[in-house]
Amino acid sequence: MLARRTAQWLSQYLHRAGTTSTLQPRRHVQSLPLEQPNFRQSSSVFDSVIRESKDQTVVRSSELPPAIGRADEPIVDILKHPDYFGVKKLFTVKEMFQCGVHLGHMGGTLNERMQQFIFGKRFNQLIFDLDITAEYLRDALNVLSHISYRGGIVLFVCRDRQNCHIVEQTAIDCGEYAHTRYWTGGTLTDATNIFGGATRLPDVLVFLSTMNSILEQHIAIESAAIVNIPTVGIVDTNCNPNLITYPVPGNDDSPSAIEFYCHVFKTAIQNAKQRRLDDDRMKS
Amino acid sequence: MAESRLRNLGTVFTRIKGLIRGGAMKFEDRPLWYDVYEAFPPKLTPTAERPTVFKEIKDIMYPEDIIRAHFYKHFSSPGVINLVSPTGHTLSQKFVDTFLELAKDSRIPRNQLVQAALDEMAAQGTPLESEANVDIDYRKAGDPVYTNEREPFMPAGPFKWHKRGV
């Protein structure tokens, strides 16, 4: 049996390599024109997507609106500027598609509050409308940038085990905070007792997944609403977007999609912080 | 700090605004995000009891789905599919493309399109073999999917196809 399989494999291999073989190839397929997958070169979908469009995603400082206080430019009221940090250029809908942001859950698990963000279903798998998602993501990134610019603290929250490492790494990279472990009740609502002293709470919470480990809504969403902290959250088709201040409809399970969100959030925060430094230097 | 803990009433913004208006919080002590929220309010009011917007969720179908289903029925799923790389085509996609290209030629009889596509693929270096007669009987009587006379591989039924590609 093993020898026969080896012979089959060998015949296929030889056939593919362009040499002749006396062994008969497999019945249904005589030759395979497909390229062999090269897993070394592209470690993930996200990597290849970003590598292809790297030049587009980088916002150059010359493309940004003028900084405040420059001698030859009028002073810009930052909050009146529609896109002060250039977040609209951070990503394209095509990149979102390639990272699988459009993929939702099966039709039966749909939370009816998510209906308005859905494009349709393909063989009972729900598909997000990425044009809507892009609008909401751009709004969320803009607000996140403004809060970072003002020196606010961002807390990334994700209870998804397979994605928690990259979320923590993102928080480290942009100098912010992450909470990806068991959420002790009262972390926000009873912070003085939990941490043993007056505590500064975060100014915005970013949820890479609004579910906890048992697929119920994360407690931090209600906690943030109680202590009046706005939230940004990726909401999948089985989530409730109502209490999220800036919801972003999209896939919250696939590592490629999470890598995409982490990349844009990180870039937006880093850009905003850099912008703050530049503006302060201009003023002084 | 005096704060309302009624999370289901109003939004984060209206609750803080109420505190400022009522004098429980000074305007100077407002949260850092307050001005940002005022300048860029969310598209949907983030209240717990926001009414649901109902929308009919339609099936996404493409004309080539029938051809692709036919391919998988006869040839199963041969070869290796690289799920990591976003580039490149699967064998079934190549078959579908060849089929649709040949379907533009009206001289080829409609019931021989599959065989023509297989011949074309074999000529391009991808021979495929099947046990049975591979051609689709598009004009199967009584089957509403196959009774569109003008375009036999398009359905006649009440389906609405989405256009492929962006």
Side-chain angles (χ1 to χ4, degrees), chain A residues 222-223 225-226 243, chain B residues 4-11 15 46-48:
Chain A
E222 282 205 349
S223 302
I226 289 171
L243 265 184
Chain B
S4 165
R5 295 215 152 193
L6 293 170
R7 60 185 177 281
N8 288 341
L9 221 58
T11 68
R15 289 193 290 266
T47 52

Side-chain angles (χ1 to χ4, degrees), chain A residues 110-166:
Chain A
L110 172 68
N111 188 324
E112 63 178 23
R113 299 178 185 91
M114 292 299 295
Q115 279 176 1
Q116 55 183 312
F117 307 118
I118 287 169
F119 176 70
K121 61 181 175 185
R122 173 80 172 159
F123 299 128
N124 205 26
Q125 185 183 11
L126 295 164
I127 304 294
F128 283 106
D129 191 336
L130 284 186
D131 291 334
I132 299 177
T133 300
E135 282 179 30
Y136 280 80
L137 183 53
R138 279 170 183 144
D139 282 4
L141 286 173
N142 188 33
V143 167
L144 196 62
S145 299
H146 274 288
I147 292 176
S148 282
Y149 181 87
R150 292 164 164 249
I153 290 176
V154 181
L155 178 66
F156 290 94
V157 184
C158 181
R159 197 66 185 94
D160 207 352
R161 281 197 177 85
Q162 66 170 339
N163 297 323
C164 70
H165 178 257
I166 184 170

